[in-house]
Amino acid sequence: MSQILEVKGLKTYFETRNGTVRAVDGVDISVDRGDTLGIVGESGCGKTVLALSIMRLIPDPPGRVVSGQINFKDIDLLNLDENEMRRLRGNDISMIFQEPMNSLNPVLKVGDQISEVIRLHEGFSKKDALDRALDMLRLVGLSPTRDSLRSYPHQMSGGMRQRIMIAMALACNPELMLADEPTTALDVTIQAQIVDLINKLKDEVGTSVILITHDLGIVAQMARHVVVMYTGRVVEYCGVLDLFSTPLHPYTRGLMESTPKRAAKRDGYLTAIPGTVPNLYELPSGCSFRNRCPDVMDICAEQEPQLMEKSPGHHVRCWKLA
């Protein structure tokens, strides 16, 4: 299976009054064609910044990609000018943003927002673009009419707005789609529908997916490989079956133990990871997880561990496993 995306040594920093925030700090990931890569971790670990870096949507200032490569079909996106990137963005690479109510323009009708993508990249007339927009809404499980295209986002439910975001992301049949917490703030029934929808469309359209989520259950349903991030770094990278059967990093094990299913097998009580994510302005020396780690050793305060391969395809960043 050939790769469609390869990210090498990506570093994205933000300059603030309090200092430099290393939001993404040397990340290496890859996505195969037709595959789904899950990215998990606590809030603030760099998942969304990684996705925005791939899309070249980091606001500059205060943010900037310091170094690295983002190779999409053997093209380094960091070497493209803004016009070249705009032709790719929304056409070859698309993104479902967090919180559709905030991502959709509240003063533009739904039909205009979907058809704009089609008109810009496909060169359709306004009428043909609206017809295509209707087809896309049907594809994502809605039963639209031309009257519904005249609706505004606030007139629709959360699940409908999320489907509209997916319709916009898939309107030009992209080869890669980044889904940033596509089921956040949705009820359980709608979450299941959105997961089934993305899986179905991935099979039908052949789109590769990067799925960003806090929900390990959704990762189990959708992903083939998983990246676990912490303070801007990859701490574990493996196949989804390895993640659930043999999680290696103490942070990954902590995430697993905090799920209701694991709690039910023990004593019914959720196990929390002690402490909080360290301030990104003042990361501790050595391993950034050491202040919360049950397996901490002296070397953890002295040197940062490197990502190492412990078994075929299973990488982890931890001194105890070195």
Side-chain angles (χ1 to χ4, degrees):
M1 189 178 293
S2 61
Q3 290 182 349
I4 192 169
L5 179 77
E6 185 178 25
V7 176
K8 296 181 179 178
L10 183 66
K11 296 184 178 182
T12 302
Y13 294 172
F14 290 84
E15 301 298 335
T16 73
R17 294 176 182 175
N18 296 322
T20 300
V21 175
R22 296 179 292 176
V24 173
D25 197 14
V27 167
D28 298 300
I29 62 170
S30 63
V31 184
D32 292 332
R33 290 183 182 275
D35 198 6
T36 297
L37 174 71
I39 302 180
V40 300
E42 292 170 282
S43 295
C45 69
K47 305 185 300 296
T48 296
V49 175
L50 173 59
L52 292 175
S53 299
I54 294 171
M55 294 292 291
R56 291 269 307 271
L57 291 175
I58 297 294
D60 183 9
R64 60 193 175 93
V65 175
V66 175
S67 62
Q69 296 179 339
I70 305 172
N71 297 317
F72 174 70
K73 297 194 304 184
D74 298 325
I75 300 171
D76 189 349
L77 301 184
L78 297 179
N79 291 333
L80 301 181
D81 61 36
E82 184 54 33
N83 288 331
E84 292 172 322
M85 191 64 208
R86 192 176 291 118
R87 284 193 288 271
L88 284 177
R89 194 186 295 130
N91 190 27
D92 296 276
I93 309 173
S94 64
M95 185 167 178
I96 304 171
F97 295 92
Q98 288 188 53
E99 299 294 342
M101 190 62 207
N102 297 330
S103 302
L104 293 169
N105 193 322
V107 299
L108 290 181
K109 297 171 183 175
V110 166
D112 291 336
Q113 297 190 57
I114 302 174
S115 62
E116 180 184 26
V117 179
I118 300 166
R119 292 174 67 187
L120 282 174
H121 293 291
E122 303 290 339
F124 283 25
S125 66
K126 184 174 182 178
K127 179 182 179 303
D128 290 341
L130 286 173
D131 289 339
R132 175 73 175 272
L134 282 172
D135 292 338
M136 292 308 303
L137 291 180
R138 293 188 189 98
L139 184 66
V140 297
L142 297 177
S143 300
T145 64
R146 287 202 171 268
D147 287 337
S148 63
L149 291 179
R150 301 187 185 98
S151 300
Y152 290 92
H154 73 271
Q155 297 174 299
M156 298 185 165
S157 69
M160 293 174 71
R161 289 193 295 265
Q162 193 66 280
R163 289 169 187 265
I164 289 165
M165 287 295 300
I166 296 172
M168 291 175 63
L170 291 172
C172 297
N173 295 327
E175 295 183 68
L176 176 65
M177 180 173 69
L178 288 76
D180 191 359
E181 300 189 26
T183 60
T184 298
L186 300 178
D187 63 61
V188 176
T189 303
I190 301 300
Q191 283 186 20
Q193 292 176 3
I194 295 298
V195 168
D196 290 342
L197 174 63
I198 294 177
N199 279 331
K200 176 184 176 184
L201 295 177
K202 185 187 75 171
D203 294 337
E204 292 182 356
V205 181
T207 300
S208 304
V209 178
I210 295 179
L211 173 70
I212 297 170
T213 182
H214 294 280
D215 193 329
L216 291 171
I218 291 176
V219 168
Q221 295 178 60
M222 296 186 63
R224 197 165 74 93
H225 294 91
V226 187
V227 168
V228 182
M229 290 189 67
Y230 187 76
T231 60
R233 300 182 181 97
V234 175
V235 296
E236 191 157 358
Y237 189 178
C238 60
V240 68
L241 295 179
D242 288 336
L243 185 83
F244 285 91
S245 63
T246 55
L248 296 179
H249 197 279
Y251 178 61
T252 308
R253 297 201 307 269
L255 293 177
M256 292 292 184
E257 293 300 318
S258 66
T259 60
K261 189 172 182 179
R262 293 290 181 102
K265 290 182 178 180
R266 291 192 313 272
D267 52 12
Y269 291 94
L270 293 176
T271 301
I273 301 174
T276 59
V277 179
N279 192 324
L280 293 180
Y281 301 117
E282 301 173 344
L283 288 175
S285 60
C287 176
S288 59
F289 187 63
R290 65 181 173 86
N291 293 334
R292 309 173 70 189
C293 182
D295 303 324
V296 64
M297 303 183 296
D298 290 341
I299 193 174
C300 300
E302 300 169 1
Q303 299 178 44
E304 179 188 344
Q306 300 301 308
L307 199 65
M308 63 194 87
E309 188 171 23
K310 293 302 296 179
S311 61
H314 198 151
H315 300 76
V316 64
R317 185 189 301 269
C318 182
W319 280 119
K320 187 175 182 180
L321 300 169

